[in-house]
Amino acid sequence: MLQTTNDVHQQFAGFFNDDKLYPYAYEVSKKLSEGHICIELSDSTTLSTLSLVGNANELQPFILHKDKLYLQRYFSYETMIRDSILAFKAAESDSFADRTARLLDEKEFILQQFPGDNGNHTDWQLVAALSALLNNFTIITGGPGTGKTTTVAKLLAVLYRLAPDTKVALAAPTGKAAMRMGESLRKAGLVTPEPIVPKTLHRLLQYVPGAPYFKHDAASPLPYDVVIVDEASMIDAALFAKLLDAVGKDTRLILLGDKDQLASVEAGSLLGDLCKMPHTINHFDQDSAVFFGHWGPVALPASDQQSALAGHVIELQISRRFNAEKGIGRFSKALITNDTAVIDEMMIAGTDPHVIVDDQYDEATFEKFVSGYEAYIQEPDTLTALRKFNAQRILCPVKGGEQGVNRVNRRVEEYLRKRQLINPSSAYYVNRPVMITANYYELDLFNGDTGLIRPDETGTLKAWFETTDGELRGLWPAYLPEPETVFAMTVHKSQGSEYEDVFVMLPKSANESLMTRELLYTAVTRAKQTVTIQGSKPQIQQIASTSVARISGLAARFEETLSSSSIYGLTI
């Protein structure tokens, strides 16, 4: 990713020497490093005449489309995403009548899976499952505890009843998220004809080492009837395009994620872009509304205004984890909606025992939380110790600075060292918690995997990780590719995880553009029981008023009709 002026200059210096284009090229590259897919222009007259700038159907390094300027590669990604989704819709339309008939034939069985507990209110889990069974492309969104994986477990039960030989793939952007997806589905009671082990997207698509390609693409699609991807908010534009390209258009693709969470680290906020298209979430066309009319209180009116994805994006409404009227549920909702009255009320000390705001950065508050790490150190059983360690975490928006991950990890180590609980005198000391920071397929280790350094029965130090089936796996530390200490971690790295208790340390001074409501919402909702936030009240209020606004043209382009010969032949 291009980060500095020098990087950008080197990238483009040998490519062209055009004083008129260079400032725009620099701005496009800078915006990519900030997560945007393109830049918006107020006047594109000058650019439209330059030789290296083309339109949607031209092979040029830069693409000028309407009022937006793209690097060719990212225009290609955006085009692939749009056209792939429309291809899913076209393919599913031929099956609509047959699918509705078969689902109505199994109505009694389906309703047994969704008994409902909302009286006469719409059971959105049932709506989401039926939509995913009708469609070839479906997004199921909702906050923590709204039942996304429970819904998936139930809809798979229906699919297996309809077609016992259905081939299903489960995936997530990171190994940690894939593991948690498997755990959640097991807890939801999913029973499959044969075991399904969730994979990272890179493993699912079969990454080609040393190249930006995957084995599976449009020419060699994934051999599954259903592909389900969790934590879809973490997927960047490039990976999103390649995933859609690799899924056959007669395959069902189901994406799960929280539209309000942080977007991907790389360019793009695709899940949010798709969910936030006008008249999309929980909007249905006439045919779908008629079908839902057969399902009792699920009956939904057809929307007068439609979007290209009406009937394909379902938001679950009720959290089983959080009470919307108090605690983390109330605070997180107030953050994402910038409800200043509720935020101000809940920042008053003693208002709610599950949400604690320390605006003085009190050392005693920090140490009280850190003392919880003593439990895993004193636990003799390694698997139990690893689970106790993963019951709590300190989350920081940034890595550097006094309140950054690096400094906070050293503070925790110093606290535990003084109490003679650890001895961090060597790189791999006993009870050091470590996190893998990249995907290492040959070791079966993935970005975000967390383990503990402990001796085995012979006294040999190993790094212990929990496998997807709940077993321990030990590796020699020398095999580990420079893991990070992980008493504290960045909020971005915490996505796809949940902990009983979370401590959020906001930096006293930081780039305000980084401090957004999505970031704090993501951090707060990693906690299941309590969240403690060290940060000033004005800062929290400012964060709640600042939202991520990544630039893309995806929503607008769903209304367009580009030539089918658009730039799929370009290198992606």
Side-chain angles (χ1 to χ4, degrees):
M1 188 58 67
L2 303 175
Q3 298 289 351
T4 68
T5 303
N6 187 53
D7 291 333
V8 177
H9 179 76
Q10 290 179 2
Q11 175 77 8
F12 294 112
F15 192 45
F16 62 83
N17 184 20
D18 192 319
D19 291 340
K20 291 181 180 179
L21 182 56
Y22 186 86
Y24 293 100
Y26 171 80
E27 186 65 16
V28 169
S29 299
K30 178 174 179 291
K31 288 295 185 183
L32 275 176
S33 71
E34 296 171 356
H36 305 277
I37 291 178
C38 55
I39 61 171
E40 293 180 318
L41 303 172
S42 58
D43 182 7
S44 59
T45 305
T46 301
L47 281 174
S48 62
T49 64
L50 299 181
S51 60
L52 296 176
V53 179
N55 62 39
N57 298 307
E58 293 181 300
L59 181 60
Q60 292 290 353
F62 296 89
I63 301 296
L64 178 63
H65 186 69
K66 301 297 177 68
D67 61 344
K68 295 179 173 63
L69 181 68
Y70 300 77
L71 281 177
Q72 165 264 112
R73 178 176 300 181
Y74 281 85
F75 185 81
S76 178
Y77 290 149
E78 196 174 83
T79 304
M80 290 175 65
I81 292 166
R82 195 281 311 266
D83 288 358
S84 293
I85 292 173
L86 292 180
F88 281 119
K89 288 190 62 181
E92 75 193 23
S93 63
D94 296 334
S95 305
F96 184 83
D98 178 64
R99 288 178 179 178
T100 55
R102 294 195 68 195
L103 290 172
L104 288 171
D105 287 343
E106 295 292 344
K107 181 177 178 180
E108 182 178 353
F109 175 80
I110 293 172
L111 290 178
Q112 287 174 358
Q113 309 305 308
F114 296 89
D117 57 2
N118 300 319
N120 293 323
H121 299 295
T122 299
D123 184 342
W124 288 105
Q125 289 190 10
L126 175 57
V127 173
L130 291 172
S131 297
L133 292 164
L134 286 175
N135 301 334
N136 284 12
F137 177 82
T138 306
I139 294 173
I140 302 176
T141 187
T146 50
K148 296 184 289 293
T149 51
T150 299
T151 301
V152 166
K154 292 178 178 181
L155 76 85
L156 284 178
V158 177
L159 267 176
Y160 284 126
R161 182 176 176 92
L162 295 172
D165 59 347
T166 297
K167 296 180 180 178
V168 177
L170 304 174
T174 67
K176 178 175 58 179
M179 179 184 293
R180 199 165 77 81
M181 182 187 194
E183 292 171 352
S184 298
L185 287 171
R186 284 195 298 272
K187 290 178 182 177
L190 176 63
V191 178
T192 60
E194 56 185 45
I196 307 174
V197 178
K199 302 177 180 179
T200 64
L201 284 174
H202 283 74
R203 184 177 285 278
L204 176 72
L205 298 175
Q206 296 190 26
Y207 173 67
V208 178
Y213 307 108
F214 294 96
K215 176 181 177 182
H216 291 292
D217 54 18
S220 180
L222 291 163
Y224 299 102
D225 303 303
V226 181
V227 176
I228 302 171
V229 181
D230 199 8
E231 298 293 346
S233 64
M234 300 169 65
I235 307 175
D236 61 81
L239 187 55
F240 203 89
K242 294 172 185 180
L243 168 65
L244 268 62
D245 193 46
V247 178
K249 300 309 174 275
D250 291 321
T251 296
R252 287 181 175 91
L253 175 62
I254 303 169
L255 303 177
L256 311 176
D258 185 344
K259 64 179 175 55
D260 295 320
Q261 272 192 196
L262 278 170
S264 63
V265 175
E266 303 296 336
S269 54
L270 285 308
L271 186 77
D273 288 347
L274 295 172
C275 289
K276 295 171 185 176
M277 289 168 55
H279 314 296
T280 293
I281 287 183
N282 296 349
H283 281 242
F284 300 87
D285 58 25
Q286 184 63 46
D287 290 340
S288 296
V290 170
F291 169 72
F292 284 117
H294 295 283
W295 299 85
V298 166
L300 301 168
S303 299
D304 294 332
Q305 295 177 294
Q306 297 296 326
S307 79
L309 289 183
H312 292 72
V313 182
I314 314 302
E315 182 175 23
L316 305 182
Q317 305 286 308
I318 299 173
S319 176
R320 275 73 175 177
R321 183 186 306 172
F322 300 134
N323 185 329
E325 303 303 319
K326 62 182 181 180
I328 294 171
R330 187 176 184 224
F331 188 66
S332 61
K333 182 180 179 181
L335 285 173
I336 210 65
T337 59
N338 190 24
D339 188 334
T340 56
V342 172
I343 293 171
D344 290 349
E345 175 193 336
M346 296 194 71
M347 286 194 295
I348 298 173
T351 300
D352 193 299
H354 300 286
V355 178
I356 302 163
V357 177
D358 170 23
D359 61 356
Q360 300 300 310
Y361 290 83
D362 182 38
E363 186 67 14
T365 302
F366 176 75
E367 291 187 351
K368 179 180 178 182
F369 186 88
V370 171
S371 67
Y373 283 129
E374 297 177 17
Y376 90 84
I377 295 173
Q378 295 168 346
E379 170 58 53
D381 179 73
T382 299
L383 180 58
T384 304
L386 184 54
R387 291 172 177 171
K388 284 184 176 181
F389 171 75
N390 284 324
Q392 68 178 72
R393 193 72 85 250
I394 302 170
L395 303 181
C396 307
V398 296
K399 297 196 73 171
E402 187 66 22
Q403 287 80 38
V405 166
N406 298 332
R407 174 66 181 132
V408 172
N409 271 316
R410 291 195 295 271
R411 286 175 63 189
V412 177
E413 286 180 323
E414 182 62 14
Y415 172 90
L416 296 173
R417 185 196 65 78
K418 286 182 177 179
R419 283 151 185 79
Q420 299 183 338
L421 294 166
I422 62 172
N423 180 20
S425 58
S426 61
Y428 294 107
Y429 59 84
V430 175
N431 282 314
R432 179 191 174 194
V434 294
M435 181 175 66
I436 304 303
T437 57
N439 294 324
Y440 296 93
Y441 297 103
E442 68 280 5
L443 297 175
D444 203 29
L445 290 175
F446 304 99
N447 189 3
D449 285 354
T450 301
L452 287 180
I453 304 297
R454 281 196 168 190
D456 63 12
E457 64 278 2
T458 68
T460 302
L461 283 181
K462 288 187 177 179
W464 299 95
F465 298 86
E466 184 174 3
T467 65
T468 54
D469 57 1
E471 300 294 329
L472 269 181
R473 174 172 176 251
L475 294 171
W476 282 323
Y479 286 172
L480 300 183
E482 299 184 1
E484 295 181 352
T485 300
V486 70
F487 293 109
M489 63 196 300
T490 63
V491 177
H492 273 95
K493 287 287 188 180
S494 74
Q495 288 184 269
S497 298
E498 62 182 26
Y499 311 97
E500 293 297 317
D501 305 298
V502 164
F503 190 102
V504 183
M505 183 171 288
L506 299 178
K508 292 181 179 179
S509 60
N511 185 337
E512 290 186 2
S513 66
L514 299 175
M515 301 292 109
T516 65
R517 68 179 68 158
E518 290 84 0
L519 181 142
L520 188 52
Y521 168 88
T522 300
V524 166
T525 55
R526 296 313 88 203
K528 296 167 65 176
Q529 294 297 327
T530 64
V531 60
T532 301
I533 304 170
Q534 281 195 331
S536 71
K537 292 178 181 179
Q539 183 183 29
I540 293 172
Q541 292 165 337
Q542 177 63 38
I543 289 172
S545 69
T546 306
S547 181
V548 172
R550 290 188 172 182
I551 302 170
S552 82
L554 187 60
R557 295 186 64 205
F558 267 98
E559 308 304 323
E560 300 170 3
T561 53
L562 291 178
S563 167
S564 61
S565 63
S566 56
I567 56 178
Y568 280 176
L570 300 184
T571 299
I572 63 170

